[in-house]
Amino acid sequence: MDYQQALGYIGGVASLGMKPGLGRIEELLARLGHPERALRFVHVAGTNGKGSTSVMIAAALSAAGYRTGLYTSPHLLRVNERMRLDGAEITDEELAGVVTSLAAAAEGLAEPCTEFELLTAAALLWFARRGADIAVLEVGLGGRLDATNAIPRPDCAVIANIGLDHTDILGDSVEAIAAEKAGIFKGGRAVCYDLPDNVYAVLRAAAERTGTALTRADFSLLEPLADSIEGQRFRFAGGEYSIRLLGAHQLKNAAVALTALDALRAAGWDIPTEAAQKGLASAVWPARFELVERAPLFVVDGGHNPQCVAATAAAIREYLPGGQCVILMGVLADKDWRAMLDTLSTVAEGFVCVTPDSPRALPAAELGAEIMRRGLHAEVCSSVPEAVEAAKALAGEQGAACSVGSLYMSGAVRECFGLR
């Protein structure tokens, strides 16, 4: 099959939605000859920050000379973004090749795989075919029953920040969600974000139960040195580093990544400090408070739940003129978007509303009506390009705007600025 046929095959099961469970992907991987057994892994779970943390770890491993795979989700524009080897996306031809193999192996499965399961298997097969030394896998949802958890014991399991999201699937408390994410512990080494004691206790109990050596990142060792819209410099555990990613939360994600690199060193990986420094400095993670234009300042952020949006609002106060800006907002209806509005209203000079391209999207008119009910200015647009122009006009050349609310929308916003 060619690239378009491959996309059609993967998209053909999109209607299955999310179906937690490992049985389907384990059978598919067995039919493929268990490509996951030819690889070693860093496995990263969490509610917020797991993508940024994964990117920093992968960049450092590549800088250390290891052939490093990176699997993340969702994509902004092209499914190829989800699978990278030393920073380079899988080509259209390679994706078509691995999906052709998947389709043959999946023939006659008792139950069809979901879209995410197919993409996960495709990534594992590609990494194995390309001879990756190690692969950094970002969990899609939860951890215990996520398709990425079909891998053997990772060299390091990582838990990023944990908050309330997907409560209908993972549980209605941070402790319950933490227990699901700790399902990636299988022995060996693990590190975690400096979480509140009640949440950390859940992870610690899971680590003890599975014989996993768990290390909690020590944020007291973080020392910010310089911070501007161009990037940040900081010290951590005696080393000095720089990152392009903005916001105090990204310093904490970097601390988790560096703690994970220490765990990998203890597992036998040779990662010089210089490689960690080079990797973190080069790490790029689009749509995470990303500056895409300067007149007006225009930032694209994929914040999509209250915890993410709190970090976005803090970054607006820190980096944008006057600590406020025009908010271009589009959200999914199943998110706690009213709580997101509570936070964004404190930094908004006005709102521009649009409907993200998703069957789960909240109509822009409904979002705009709620904003106006709160006595705030809101404009409702029918498309992302129209919304971008409206936000820029409302901000004025000397002002600032920030798109936020959904990663599904961020790719379309970036495309308006010629970015892919």
Side-chain angles (χ1 to χ4, degrees):
M1 70 178 65
D2 63 21
Y3 179 68
Q4 290 303 322
Q5 290 170 326
L7 295 183
Y9 178 79
I10 293 169
V13 297
S15 60
L16 295 175
M18 294 181 291
K19 297 172 65 176
L22 299 178
R24 293 175 299 274
I25 190 168
E26 286 177 343
E27 184 175 353
L28 179 58
L29 291 173
R31 291 182 174 205
L32 289 167
H34 287 294
E36 77 282 6
R37 296 181 183 175
L39 299 163
R40 296 171 72 178
F41 297 98
V42 177
H43 200 188
V44 186
T47 307
N48 299 311
K50 62 183 183 289
S52 302
T53 305
S54 297
V55 165
M56 287 188 270
I57 294 169
L61 287 165
S62 290
Y66 294 109
R67 195 168 180 78
T68 305
L70 174 65
Y71 178 60
T72 60
S73 61
H75 57 273
L76 300 181
L77 281 176
R78 282 164 42 89
V79 71
N80 306 53
E81 300 166 27
R82 297 184 181 221
M83 308 166 208
R84 300 172 185 263
L85 193 62
D86 290 332
E89 295 176 7
I90 186 172
T91 65
D92 294 356
E93 293 75 19
E94 287 176 307
L95 184 63
V98 294
V99 174
T100 299
S101 297
L102 287 188
E107 187 73 30
L109 281 174
E111 185 181 3
C113 290
T114 66
E115 181 179 27
F116 185 73
E117 289 166 349
L118 290 177
L119 288 168
T120 301
L124 294 172
L125 182 58
W126 182 55
F127 294 150
R129 285 181 174 178
R130 292 292 302 273
D133 298 309
I134 189 167
V136 181
L137 301 188
E138 178 192 3
V139 167
L141 175 66
R144 181 175 64 93
L145 297 177
D146 186 75
T148 60
N149 208 26
I151 63 170
R153 187 183 77 185
D155 282 46
C156 183
V158 181
I159 307 291
N161 199 6
I162 294 176
L164 290 172
D165 203 7
H166 298 292
T167 53
D168 55 328
I169 298 173
L170 301 179
D172 59 2
S173 70
V174 288
E175 292 87 354
I177 291 171
E180 286 296 313
K181 297 186 185 302
I184 68 172
F185 292 170
K186 300 172 182 173
R189 294 172 173 80
V191 306
C192 71
Y193 197 91
D194 190 0
L195 294 157
D197 288 343
N198 60 313
V199 183
Y200 177 66
V202 175
L203 300 184
R204 188 178 64 241
E208 291 171 355
R209 200 164 50 244
T210 56
T212 303
L214 177 63
T215 301
R216 193 180 193 176
D218 187 351
F219 292 166
S220 71
L221 301 178
L222 267 175
E223 181 187 352
L225 299 175
D227 187 10
S228 74
I229 204 159
E230 307 299 334
Q232 305 185 78
R233 277 194 309 112
F234 65 99
R235 287 195 187 95
F236 181 71
E240 189 169 316
Y241 305 89
S242 63
I243 56 173
R244 301 185 196 182
L245 306 177
L246 301 179
H249 61 293
Q250 294 291 9
L251 293 186
K252 294 177 179 179
N253 292 335
V256 174
L258 289 166
T259 305
L261 293 175
D262 276 340
L264 289 170
R265 291 184 183 105
W269 294 88
D270 182 15
I271 310 167
T273 299
E274 296 77 12
Q277 291 169 324
K278 180 179 178 182
L280 264 65
S282 67
V284 177
W285 196 217
R288 277 68 177 183
F289 211 79
E290 177 190 16
L291 180 65
V292 297
E293 188 169 270
R294 294 182 178 274
L297 289 172
F298 202 109
V299 170
V300 179
D301 190 85
H304 57 280
N305 60 41
Q307 192 177 21
C308 283
V309 164
T312 306
I316 288 170
R317 294 187 191 97
E318 175 70 23
Y319 297 110
L320 299 186
Q324 287 196 312
C325 68
V326 172
I327 302 292
L328 191 170
M329 190 172 184
V331 295
L332 302 185
D334 55 5
K335 298 293 184 178
D336 191 356
W337 56 270
R338 289 183 177 85
M340 294 161 65
L341 268 181
D342 291 341
T343 299
L344 291 171
S345 295
T346 66
V347 294
E349 293 176 339
F351 286 86
V352 174
C353 306
V354 70
T355 306
D357 183 16
S358 168
R360 296 157 52 204
L362 180 76
E366 188 175 338
L367 177 61
E370 173 63 20
I371 292 169
M372 289 185 281
R373 190 189 65 77
R374 298 176 182 219
L376 302 168
H377 175 81
E379 299 179 17
V380 176
C381 295
S382 60
S383 69
V384 168
E386 179 188 342
V388 167
E389 291 306 314
K392 290 168 66 173
L394 191 58
E397 193 167 324
Q398 302 304 311
C402 176
S403 73
V404 69
S406 171
L407 274 170
Y408 291 93
M409 181 179 71
S410 296
V413 173
R414 294 180 82 252
E415 198 170 25
C416 293
F417 294 91
L419 299 172
R420 292 188 59 179

